[in-house]
Amino acid sequence: MSPDVLLGVSDRHLTTWTDHRFGQGVPWRLHRDMVSDWQAMLEAASADGISILPISTYRDFSRQALIFNEKAEGRRSVHDDHGQRLQREAFSDDEWLHRILRFSALPGLSRHHWGTDLDVFDANAVHQGHRPKLEPDEFSGDGPCVALNEWLQENAGRFGFFRPYRLDLGGVAPEPWHLSYAPISRHAANDIPVEQLAALLTDTYVAFCSIILPQLPALVERYAQRISPP
Ligand SMILES: [Zn+2]
């Protein structure tokens, strides 16, 4: 992957994949080299009675910066590990930064920049009226995505997909809905161009930039490179 693709400032690696399964076609942007395996996985799941619905695919640097800045500035809610909304005043800037990064990537460090990563949900649950919140409870116990979760655990690897946020390694919180295409993405986090990222953060308006830059290599390790491998 080129530095521009890694940092979310290029879309040359993408293609539009249109989901024709449910009425009107819905277009999604995916890495062009994973579409055939993605399609094959959907068909295999469907044969087993599992309907995989994409919720979010490619997201560029600007979009991630918007989300990050809204959280940094208290215009979008930030939660703890138990889903409780946190009060901005109770935290220092550095503590708030880490609270955000547990659930939302720093612009330039989102795996969604790569086009190889996407969030999924159980389509049947959605069609029955369940609004996806993307919370771990939905994928365990008697949640609506338990069958999907088990199917992915058994089968996603056959099509090259894995779940980088399967376990809590002290960086990004567990995200059982987040899939990644290993043939392209498995080593990509090791190639993140840290100096180019620092320049990009400096040139763009990104909140907390002055406290981010001095600890950028540590943030890259903790929130981008620390993943559950395929
Ligand atoms: Zn995701």
Side-chain angles (χ1 to χ4, degrees):
M1 249 184 255
S2 70
D4 286 0
V5 169
L6 286 164
L7 297 178
V9 291
S10 171
D11 59 6
R12 280 170 294 136
H13 57 304
L14 304 174
T15 190
T16 300
W17 170 78
T18 305
D19 193 350
H20 290 292
R21 294 171 299 166
F22 316 109
Q24 281 181 331
V26 182
W28 295 98
R29 295 216 281 175
L30 300 175
H31 196 293
R32 57 176 176 247
D33 296 333
M34 79 173 217
V35 171
S36 60
D37 279 339
W38 164 249
Q39 185 75 42
M41 183 167 76
L42 292 193
E43 284 164 16
S46 176
D48 290 340
I50 302 289
S51 189
I52 305 175
L53 184 73
I55 297 289
S56 173
T57 61
Y58 172 73
R59 208 180 296 144
D60 69 7
F61 181 96
S62 305
R63 173 77 193 137
Q64 194 64 32
L66 198 80
I67 296 168
F68 178 84
N69 286 341
E70 284 183 358
K71 289 195 169 187
E73 291 161 359
R75 289 181 283 120
R76 187 189 276 247
S77 59
V78 177
H79 296 92
D80 68 11
D81 283 9
H82 310 291
Q84 294 295 316
R85 187 174 181 159
L86 299 172
Q87 295 302 317
R88 175 65 184 94
E89 315 79 70
F91 298 88
S92 69
D93 286 356
D94 191 64
E95 287 167 345
W96 196 245
L97 169 67
H98 285 274
R99 292 292 189 156
I100 294 170
L101 294 181
R102 187 132 168 90
F103 297 97
S104 288
L106 191 70
L109 293 185
S110 173
R111 297 179 69 93
H112 286 274
H113 294 337
W114 306 343
T116 54
D117 285 53
L118 66 173
D119 301 329
V120 299
F121 209 79
D122 186 308
N124 296 326
V126 172
H127 295 143
Q128 285 159 19
H130 188 100
R131 237 179 111 237
K133 294 190 291 280
L134 299 185
E135 289 174 359
D137 285 356
E138 296 172 312
F139 286 73
S140 65
D142 57 0
C145 295
V146 169
L148 168 64
N149 190 51
E150 286 170 4
W151 192 90
L152 290 171
Q153 197 58 39
E154 281 292 302
N155 300 286
R158 289 197 284 130
F159 303 93
F161 290 87
F162 75 111
R163 292 192 277 186
Y165 307 129
R166 185 168 67 243
L167 305 173
D168 188 353
L169 303 174
V172 175
E175 294 188 357
W177 51 85
H178 185 113
L179 288 175
S180 185
Y181 186 58
I184 304 171
S185 71
R186 71 182 295 162
H187 301 300
N190 299 328
D191 298 332
I192 290 166
V194 179
E195 279 179 30
Q196 197 172 322
L197 173 58
L200 192 58
L201 292 169
T202 308
D203 291 346
T204 321
Y205 173 71
V206 172
F208 297 142
C209 202
S210 62
I211 58 171
I212 290 169
L213 292 179
Q215 57 179 323
L216 191 55
L219 296 179
V220 171
E221 186 282 317
R222 182 170 176 184
Y223 296 106
Q225 295 171 342
R226 207 183 289 181
I227 57 161
S228 308

